[in-house]
Amino acid sequence: MSLQQLKPQIKAIVAMQNLSIDERLLDICKLLEANISYYNWVGFYFKNGDKDELKLGPYVGEPTDHTIIPFGKGICGQVAISNQNFVVPDVAAQDNYIACSISVKAEIVIPIFVNNENIGQIDIDSNTPDPFTEADERFLEFVCKEVATFLT
């Protein structure tokens, strides 16, 4: 299934007001992981209250010990500070990378903004080297904008 074909399904999940926020986030993770072959770990991190750290939210994939990530640490922690997308074609080439699994080869992190504030992010790990394209970036920006609509 193409990224464009997934957009209506994302909108349908977002519109399911009978589900909790976490249930909708998990359904989005499941949809992406099941339909995009190189999305091997899909999860959300959110700012942890007033602390300068991220807390793991719903995700699918291998369990991770990284349930709390300080701002500035790893790819997710850097996105929390920079407010910019971060695409890592080769995690082995990154100095400030937190390894979740030895099988991970690449990562993409896109921030989620609510009222112009970076409140979290979607984090995707891939076991495929350099799989992420500009199309993935644009699609995940769309996902984050949709997610922001029910986090307000």
Side-chain angles (χ1 to χ4, degrees):
M1 188 173 295
S2 78
L3 299 175
Q4 292 305 312
Q5 290 171 312
L6 289 171
K7 284 185 173 183
Q9 293 182 53
I10 295 290
K11 283 184 170 284
I13 293 168
V14 167
M16 292 180 174
Q17 295 183 3
N18 59 316
L19 298 180
S20 72
I21 288 172
D22 280 356
E23 288 170 324
R24 286 186 268 179
L25 293 171
L26 183 59
D27 284 352
I28 289 169
C29 292
K30 288 177 181 175
L31 177 73
L32 298 182
E33 191 270 340
N35 288 285
I36 304 171
S37 63
Y38 52 94
Y39 285 19
N40 303 112
W41 191 97
V42 180
F44 290 93
Y45 281 93
F46 292 99
K47 188 170 188 312
N48 190 10
D50 292 335
K51 299 176 185 168
D52 286 340
E53 64 185 23
L54 297 165
K55 185 174 183 181
L56 181 61
Y59 73 94
V60 293
E62 287 186 37
T64 179
D65 292 334
H66 305 289
T67 57
I68 300 289
I69 299 176
F71 282 12
K73 186 135 175 69
I75 308 308
C76 292
Q78 290 176 75
V79 169
I81 292 173
S82 73
N83 299 323
Q84 303 290 318
N85 298 350
F86 202 150
V87 181
V88 182
D90 178 7
V91 296
Q94 279 295 316
D95 290 338
N96 190 3
Y97 173 70
I98 302 172
C100 289
S101 165
I102 57 167
S103 56
V104 175
K105 305 291 184 229
E107 183 174 12
I108 185 168
V109 179
I110 308 292
I112 301 167
F113 294 96
V114 173
N115 299 323
N116 296 319
E117 181 187 351
N118 180 349
I119 56 100
Q121 53 202 230
I122 191 167
D123 177 21
I124 298 172
D125 291 344
S126 180
N127 300 340
T128 304
D130 197 11
F132 303 115
T133 66
E134 188 171 328
D136 289 288
E137 242 184 299
R138 299 296 83 82
F139 171 70
L140 293 170
E141 287 170 351
F142 163 83
V143 170
C144 289
K145 282 182 181 137
E146 288 295 313
V147 164
T149 65
F150 66 84
L151 296 176
T152 53

